[in-house]
Amino acid sequence: MSATQWSWRRIYRRNALVFLLAGAAIAAWGFATFSLDRRSEADAAYTRALNLADLLAEYTGQLFRGIDYGLVGLAESLDMSRLGEPSYAGPAHALLSARRALTEDVFAFFVLDGEGRVLYSSRTPSPEPVDLSSREIYQRAIAGEQGLIISRPITGAVGYAEGEPILNVSRPLYSDGEPVGVVAAAISLSALEAFYAALELGPYGAVGLFRDDGVLLARSPPRPEIIGRDFSDVPLFQEHLPAAPRGTYYRSYYSDGRYRYSAYRRASGEPLVAFVGLDAASVMASWRQRTAISGGALVLVLALLGWLFLRSARAEASERALEAAYGERLETLAGESRELVAAPDADTLAGGVLALALRLVTADHACLRLRGLGAEGHEYRRCVDGDGRRLDAAALPEGGFVASVLAEGSPRQRMLADGHWLGVPVLTPDRACIGALELYRGGGSAFRDDESHLLQQLVAVAGAVLENQRARAAERRALEANVAAAREKERILESISDALFVLDRDWRFTYLNERACQLLERDDLEGENVWEAFPEARDTEAYRHYHHAMASGETVSFEFYYPPLERWFSVRAYPFADGLSVYFQDVSERVAMQQQLQQAQKMEVIGQLTGGVAHDFNNLLTVILGNTEILLEETSAGSAAQDAARLTQRAAERAQGLTQRLLAFARRQPLAPEALDVARLLREMEPLVRRSLGETVMLETVSAAGLWQAFADAGQLEAALLNLAVNARDAMPEGGRLTIEAANAHINERYAAAIPELEPGQYVVVAVSDTGAGMDDDTRERAFEPFFTTKGKHHGSGLGLSMVYGFAKQSQGNVTLYSEPGEGTTVKVYLPRWHGQTASGGPKPLAPPVPEGNAGRGECLLVVEDDPMVRRFVVNALAGHDFRVIEAADATTALEQAAALPRPPELLLTDVVLGGGMNGPALADRLTDRFPGLRVLYMSGYTENAIVHHGRLDPGVDLLQKPFGRAELLRRLRTILDRP
C-alpha cells in the first residue's frame, strides 16, 4: 500500500467520524428546536387564553358590580311603605328609569311584590301583571339570600322582553327586617354573547361565562341547547377551581373530542367564572407547518454534509503537498505584516505591500492602485519591477480588467499571448473594495490558487491598515461633529416642556432632563435602578406598564398616583433597542379638578332627590300641623287629647325643620336676598353664638376693614353660621377655640376653576374655623351629604352642613371645607358682593297680628289645590270665618267655577304646582285677565321655577310656604285683602 493511499484512507476514516458526529448533533439540535418551538406555541396559547379569561372576568365583574350597585341604590331609594300602591307607580317608574339611564348594559329594571308579581318597571309606568314567582331570582331573594342573585338564562316573559334570551339578577327588598319583595334587572343574553363573539378565538375556539355553582350563563359560539346546563361535574369545577381561582389546563371536550388549551378566572367579588378555550389543533397548525419545512431542510443539510465529506476527503489528500510551502510563505507574510501595520501613511504602506508581494509570488512587475484617499477622495497608483525598483505607472500597460476587479471585489486572472495578469482586490474589514493589486508574469506559467490566497491575505492586511488610517481621521471629524450634536441634543431635550428620563435594559437611569429632576425631586439619579430609587413605584401602574412596554416593544400611555410625592402623573413610554424613553407630566391639578367636578355632580343629583321628597312631605305636614292647631283650640286644656295634639304638633314642627333644611340643601327654598352688612350681622349674632358654644369654647369674631356688603338672605345666613358653630362645638368636646372671620375676596378665573360652580368675581367670604378633631378623607368627601353624620345616634340629623351647602349654592356662591385629622376644620362660605346702593340695615317691620274673631268680611275665595287632604284642611280652616269658599282640584275646574260665579272672587288661593297641564301662575294669569282686581296668594312646598327664579321670589308675588297653620293662613289672607 502506497503512502498516498494510506494517507487518503486515514483522512476518509477521520472525516467519516466527523460527519457522523455532526449529523447526530444536527439531528439532536433539530429535535430540541422542534420541541422547544412546540412548547413555546403551547405557552403562548395558555398566555393568550389566560389574558382573555382575565379580560372577560374583569369586564363581567365590572358589569355585574355596576348592576349590583344599581340594585342596592334602588333598594335604598324605594319607599317600602308604599310598595304596591297605585299612586306610587309613577315615582317608582321614575326611579327605575333614572337608574337604567345610568346603567347602559341593563335591558330593564323591575320590582316584584312579595308574591312574585311584577309591580314596577323602568320600561313602562304600568307593566303587565306577570307572575314571576316560579323564577329563581324571586325564590332565592324572598328566602332571604344575601348578595347578588344571578338566575339561569331564561326566555323573557314580560311584554318588552318576551321571547328574548335574558339573564336576571336580583336583590331582596326588606321592610322591618323581613323580605317583602324583589328588585331585579334584566340583561340581554344576546348582547353578552355578541361581546364574547367579538373576541378572536380562532377555529373551534370557545368562550363561556359560568355561575360559580357550574351553571353555564353564556357561550360563544352560541349553543342554545347547553345554555343554563349544570356543569359542576366537569374538571373545571371538580379539580381546577377548588385549587386556584385562576389557572390553565389542557383537556379534550366531551362534545367534540377536540383538545383545547383552556384558561379560567373567577370574577373578583361576584359569583362568576370566565372560561376560554383555544383549539389545540388550530394553535399547533403553524408549528406543524414549520416542523415539516425544517425537517426537510434538515434532511437536505445532512445530504449536503455527506457530499462535502466525500469531496473534502479527496481534496485534502491532494492539498497536503502544497501545505508545507504555503505555510512557510504564510509565516513570512505574518512576520512582515507587523511593519505594514505600523505604516504612517498610504505611500509607505504601498511600498511595503509591493515588496512583500514580490517575495511571496514571482512576477515581472507589480502595481498597487488605491482610491478614495484623503478628504478629497483622490486615487493613488504605485508600480515596481521584479527587483522592487519603482517604475513609471503611466508607461506600463494595464491588465485591462482592473475595473471589473474593483466593481466585483473578487480576484481575477487573465491570460495574454506573452504572459498572465492577476488582479486581487484590496478590501476593508467590512468587505468594501478600495483598490487592487496587479501582478504580471511572463511566459506560460499561470498564477496558482495558493498564490492568489497569499496575496488576498496580504491585501487584507493592507485594507485593514488603510481603513484604520481612514477611521482615525473620520473619528477625529466625527468626534467634533458628535460633540456639537450632543450639545444641540441636550439643548433640545432641556427645552421641551415634558419631563423626560431614559432607562436602559437594566432599568438604570441614563438621562434625565431638568424638568424630570424637578418633578422627581432628585438630581442624582443617573446610574441608579429606578425600582431601587423609587421602591414604592413597584405597587403602582408604572411597574406593570413599563415592563409591558419593554417586553412587547409597544408604546404605552397611562396615568398613576405616586403617594410619596403626592402627585398624579400622565406618562408616555416609548421602547427602543437599548431601553425605554419616558415622557411624563404632573397632572395632579387636573385630576383634583375632575374629582371636585364629580363630587359637585353627585351633590346635584342628591339635591334633586331630596327636593322632590320635601315637596310631598310639606303637603303632608300642612295637613298635620293645620289640623293639630285646630285640635289644640277645640280640646280642653290639660286633657289627654290636648296633650297628644301638642306632642303631635312638636313632632310635626321638627319634621318641618328637617324639610326646610332639605329644601335648603336642594336649593329649592325661596330666598329673599338683600344688601347685607355681614360685620353688623356677626356682632349681633355673637351673644347667641356664645350661649350655644358653652363655657369651654372660646369665640373670636374678626371682620376685615372695608368689608363689602353681601347679597344674601340674612335669616338663612344666620342659620348657616349657627349650624357651623354648633358643629364646631361638637368637634371640641374638651373645649377649644372657634374663629369666625369675614373678608373680601376677588376670585380670578384660575382660582374659580378649582371650585366647581363658582364664577369669577367679587365675594364676601365668611370662614368658620375650629381647633377640633378634624376629618379624615372619607368623612371630608361625604360631609355635605344629607343625613350623613359622624355623631352618635340621636345626636344631630346630619342636615346642618347640607343646609349650609344648599344655601351657599342657591345664593350664587359656594362653600369649601378644609380639614385634617387632629388639626381642626375650616368651612368657608362665599357670598356674592352687593353692587347696588348701601342698604339702610334697619329692622324689618313686624308681621301683623292674627285677626281676632272672624277673619273674613264676606269675601269670595277661590281655593285651588290638587292634593285632596291639603284642600280639605284649607277649606276647614276657613270655615266659620265669614268667607265664601269655592274649591277646585285643578285649573280647568277653577276656570269653569269662576265663570259661573255671580260676582268676581276677591282672592285666588292656589298651589303653584297643579296637575292637568296648567300650573298655578298660568291659572292666575287667566283669571286676572278676566277679573282685573283679583288678589293672588300662592301656596307651595316646592317652588320649582314657576315663581322663584335663581333662588329668589319674583317681584310682586305673595307666597305662603308649606307647611303652614290656620293662624298663618288667616293672617296672610287678611293682610293681602286689606292691601290698598
Side-chain angles (χ1 to χ4, degrees):
M1 180 181 298
S2 66
T4 303
Q5 290 176 333
W6 180 87
S7 176
W8 188 89
R9 289 177 180 176
R10 183 175 61 179
I11 293 171
Y12 179 85
R13 287 195 296 269
R14 185 194 64 190
N15 287 4
L17 178 61
V18 171
F19 166 73
L20 291 176
L21 291 175
I26 292 174
W29 171 82
F31 179 78
T33 301
F34 299 152
S35 299
L36 289 175
D37 190 21
R38 189 180 190 282
R39 181 60 185 173
S40 177
E41 287 285 350
D43 290 344
Y46 282 130
T47 300
R48 180 164 176 255
L50 194 56
N51 289 341
L52 288 173
D54 289 342
L55 172 65
L56 294 178
E58 289 298 324
Y59 167 80
T60 309
Q62 291 179 6
L63 170 64
F64 280 87
R65 280 193 295 275
I67 296 171
D68 191 24
Y69 174 78
L71 294 177
V72 171
L74 286 173
E76 295 176 351
S77 302
L78 288 168
D79 188 348
M80 296 297 101
S81 65
R82 299 182 61 190
L83 205 66
E85 295 182 7
S87 61
Y88 191 56
H93 170 68
L95 281 175
L96 295 175
S97 299
R99 178 56 60 181
R100 182 177 178 270
L102 295 174
T103 315
E104 61 182 3
D105 297 302
V106 172
F107 192 67
F109 281 103
F110 54 95
V111 176
L112 307 180
D113 62 11
E115 296 180 357
R117 294 187 299 269
V118 176
L119 281 179
Y120 313 116
S121 168
S122 62
R123 288 286 184 168
T124 173
S126 302
E128 302 172 17
V130 179
D131 184 0
L132 301 181
S133 59
S134 61
R135 292 290 173 88
E136 186 179 4
I137 57 167
Y138 167 77
Q139 294 178 351
R140 291 170 59 186
I142 208 68
E145 182 173 332
Q146 299 298 314
L148 183 67
I149 300 169
I150 304 175
S151 73
R152 292 173 179 263
I154 59 172
T155 300
V158 182
Y160 55 80
E162 186 172 358
E164 173 78 13
I166 59 173
L167 283 178
N168 281 337
V169 296
S170 68
R171 274 186 173 272
L173 294 174
Y174 289 94
S175 178
D176 297 330
E178 295 294 328
V180 298
V182 177
V183 60
I187 309 169
S188 173
L189 187 60
S190 301
L192 196 59
E193 291 178 341
F195 171 76
Y196 293 160
L199 302 175
E200 296 182 2
L201 302 176
Y204 303 104
V207 59
L209 179 66
F210 292 88
R211 271 191 341 209
D212 59 0
D213 61 355
V215 174
L216 179 60
L217 302 178
R219 186 186 190 276
S220 180
R223 292 189 60 187
E225 69 277 9
I226 64 172
I227 297 298
R229 177 178 168 180
D230 185 354
F231 286 89
S232 59
D233 58 344
V234 301
L236 172 60
F237 291 93
Q238 293 294 319
E239 302 173 12
H240 302 295
L241 266 176
R246 176 178 182 266
T248 59
Y249 60 91
Y250 179 73
R251 287 182 180 275
S252 64
Y253 282 46
Y254 79 94
S255 58
D256 54 11
R258 302 184 71 90
Y259 280 85
R260 289 181 174 86
Y261 295 98
S262 305
Y264 65 91
R265 165 77 182 275
R266 187 188 298 275
S268 177
E270 303 297 337
L272 299 167
V273 177
F275 165 82
V276 175
L278 302 178
D279 180 55
S282 302
V283 169
M284 291 299 172
S286 61
W287 174 82
R288 288 194 295 271
Q289 184 178 8
R290 290 196 303 272
T291 301
I293 295 173
S294 301
L298 186 61
V299 172
L300 291 177
V301 169
L302 292 175
L304 179 61
L305 283 176
W307 178 78
L308 290 176
F309 152 69
L310 294 173
R311 189 170 184 270
S312 64
R314 291 186 175 90
E316 185 177 358
S318 62
E319 291 175 357
R320 287 294 181 89
L322 300 175
E323 286 182 357
Y326 180 77
E328 292 177 0
R329 286 182 288 179
L330 197 58
E331 290 178 3
T332 301
L333 173 61
E336 298 294 335
S337 294
R338 298 187 186 94
E339 297 181 3
L340 296 180
V341 172
D345 53 46
D347 191 64
T348 304
L349 177 66
V353 169
L354 291 172
L356 187 54
L358 292 175
R359 289 181 60 186
L360 298 174
V361 177
T362 303
D364 295 335
H365 62 257
C367 293
L368 181 64
R369 175 183 293 190
L370 302 173
R371 61 182 180 180
L373 294 181
E376 298 80 8
H378 66 271
E379 290 198 359
Y380 172 88
R381 187 179 183 193
R382 181 171 178 172
C383 300
V384 296
D385 61 14
D387 296 326
R389 294 186 294 269
R390 190 161 185 168
L391 300 176
D392 183 8
L396 292 176
E398 295 187 8
F401 59 97
V402 175
S404 61
V405 173
L406 294 174
E408 298 177 8
S410 59
R412 185 178 293 272
Q413 188 173 176
R414 184 177 182 185
M415 185 178 67
L416 299 176
D418 57 349
H420 292 266
W421 283 93
L422 175 64
V424 180
V426 181
L427 303 176
T428 64
D430 59 357
R431 309 298 296 172
C433 185
I434 59 173
L437 174 64
E438 302 172 77
L439 286 87
Y440 173 74
R441 179 188 293 170
S445 178
F447 293 97
R448 298 191 308 273
D449 288 343
D450 60 319
E451 293 176 323
S452 177
H453 293 160
L454 284 170
L455 294 177
Q456 289 180 51
Q457 297 291 329
L458 172 61
V459 296
V461 174
V465 174
L466 282 171
E467 185 65 19
N468 188 43
Q469 292 176 351
R470 290 202 287 189
R472 286 197 298 268
E475 283 176 1
R476 288 192 297 270
R477 295 191 298 271
L479 180 61
E480 297 173 357
N482 287 340
V483 170
R487 290 174 180 169
E488 178 65 15
K489 177 182 178 182
E490 185 174 357
R491 185 189 67 79
I492 293 173
L493 291 176
E494 291 295 341
S495 65
I496 63 177
S497 60
D498 285 0
L500 164 67
F501 62 77
V502 181
L503 302 173
D504 62 16
R505 287 282 176 179
D506 295 325
W507 301 106
R508 298 188 180 278
F509 289 99
T510 60
Y511 174 79
L512 299 94
N513 68 358
E514 183 177 354
R515 180 59 176 160
C517 294
Q518 292 173 354
L519 291 183
L520 297 178
E521 300 179 2
R522 293 277 300 275
D523 56 4
D524 57 346
L525 289 171
E526 287 200 24
E528 286 199 38
N529 184 287
V530 62
W531 310 122
E532 295 174 359
F534 301 98
E536 296 85 354
R538 293 177 181 270
D539 299 326
T540 67
E541 288 290 298
Y543 187 85
R544 181 173 63 83
H545 284 293
Y546 286 174
H547 279 78
H548 172 73
M550 195 82 86
S552 65
E554 299 176 356
T555 298
V556 295
S557 298
F558 60 95
E559 290 186 358
F560 78 104
Y561 180 71
Y562 187 56
L565 296 179
E566 296 182 351
R567 288 175 175 168
W568 279 91
F569 292 107
S570 175
V571 182
R572 303 185 310 280
Y574 302 91
F576 62 100
D578 297 327
L580 197 67
S581 296
V582 180
Y583 295 80
F584 61 102
Q585 294 177 332
D586 182 359
V587 295
S588 303
E589 184 176 346
R590 173 174 61 78
V591 172
M593 291 175 60
Q594 289 175 343
Q595 292 173 346
Q596 290 175 353
L597 179 59
Q598 291 172 356
Q599 179 68 11
Q601 291 172 341
K602 171 185 174 183
M603 299 301 287
E604 179 65 23
V605 172
I606 296 175
Q608 291 176 357
L609 176 61
T610 55
V613 172
H615 169 237
D616 293 338
F617 204 39
N618 272 334
N619 277 341
L620 297 175
L621 285 176
T622 299
V623 178
I624 295 172
L625 277 171
N627 285 290
T628 303
E629 184 179 3
I630 295 173
L631 287 175
L632 286 172
E633 294 177 359
E634 295 181 356
T635 56
S636 58
S639 65
Q642 189 175 67
D643 289 342
R646 195 172 304 279
L647 182 61
T648 303
Q649 184 183 44
R650 286 198 296 269
E653 287 172 348
R654 288 185 62 186
Q656 178 183 4
L658 287 177
T659 57
Q660 288 175 346
R661 291 184 177 187
L662 282 174
L663 285 172
F665 169 73
R667 291 176 265 174
R668 299 298 189 270
Q669 60 179 343
L671 299 180
E674 59 183 341
L676 183 60
D677 185 345
V678 177
R680 176 180 175 181
L681 182 141
L682 292 181
R683 290 194 301 270
E684 295 174 350
M685 281 190 65
E686 187 168 347
L688 173 61
V689 175
R690 288 188 186 278
R691 289 194 299 272
S692 301
L693 295 178
E695 298 180 355
T696 60
V697 178
M698 297 179 60
L699 173 65
E700 180 180 4
T701 61
V702 181
S703 297
L707 186 67
W708 299 326
Q709 289 190 330
F711 187 58
D713 189 311
Q716 291 294 331
L717 178 57
E718 289 177 354
L721 294 179
L722 191 59
N723 265 306
L724 294 176
V726 171
N727 279 348
R729 179 201 65 193
D730 294 341
M732 300 182 288
E734 304 299 328
R737 177 181 294 273
L738 176 67
T739 304
I740 304 177
E741 301 176 81
N744 299 330
H746 183 83
I747 306 300
N748 57 29
E749 292 185 357
R750 181 178 180 182
Y751 189 83
I755 305 178
E757 299 184 29
L758 183 65
E759 297 293 331
Q762 295 178 329
Y763 293 86
V764 176
V765 183
V766 182
V768 180
S769 304
D770 64 59
T771 58
M775 305 179 187
D776 57 23
D777 291 341
D778 293 338
T779 303
R780 192 165 54 247
E781 289 179 1
R782 300 186 59 194
F784 292 118
E785 293 183 11
F787 302 113
F788 174 76
T789 179
T790 58
K791 303 175 184 177
K793 191 175 181 181
H794 307 303
H795 293 279
S797 63
L799 288 172
L801 283 178
S802 304
M803 184 276 287
V804 176
Y805 174 86
F807 160 66
K809 290 286 189 178
Q810 192 174 357
S811 299
Q812 280 73 58
N814 210 319
V815 59
T816 59
L817 184 146
Y818 306 89
S819 185
E820 294 291 339
E823 299 296 331
T825 300
T826 296
V827 179
K828 292 184 178 181
V829 180
Y830 292 80
L831 299 173
R833 177 186 179 184
W834 167 254
H835 291 281
Q837 296 180 354
T838 303
S840 63
K844 297 182 180 180
L846 297 174
V850 179
E852 296 182 0
N854 290 338
R857 297 169 187 169
E859 293 94 345
C860 179
L861 306 183
L862 179 56
V863 178
V864 186
E865 169 62 61
D866 56 355
D867 188 308
M869 291 190 295
V870 176
R871 187 171 67 253
R872 178 50 48 204
F873 157 68
V874 172
V875 172
N876 290 341
L878 296 176
H881 283 274
D882 199 16
F883 286 117
R884 189 160 60 91
V885 180
I886 307 298
E887 60 177 295
D890 53 54
T892 302
T893 304
L895 290 173
E896 294 173 354
Q897 292 182 346
L901 290 174
R903 63 184 179 86
E906 277 76 18
L907 183 140
L908 169 65
L909 177 61
T910 179
D911 193 6
V912 174
V913 181
L914 296 172
M918 184 184 300
N919 62 12
L923 172 63
D925 290 342
R926 294 278 295 272
L927 289 176
T928 52
D929 287 343
R930 178 177 296 181
F931 309 116
L934 180 67
R935 312 291 176 92
V936 180
L937 175 59
Y938 293 103
M939 302 178 290
S940 180
Y942 177 71
T943 57
E944 297 277 344
N945 287 322
I947 59 174
V948 175
H949 294 85
H950 305 292
R952 303 161 192 170
L953 198 63
D954 291 344
V957 171
D958 291 304
L959 173 65
L960 183 59
Q961 185 72 25
K962 295 179 183 178
F964 53 83
R966 182 175 65 173
E968 176 66 15
L969 172 64
L970 295 174
R971 179 169 52 243
R972 292 297 301 276
L973 288 174
R974 193 66 265 159
T975 299
I976 296 173
L977 289 170
D978 290 344
R979 186 182 299 160

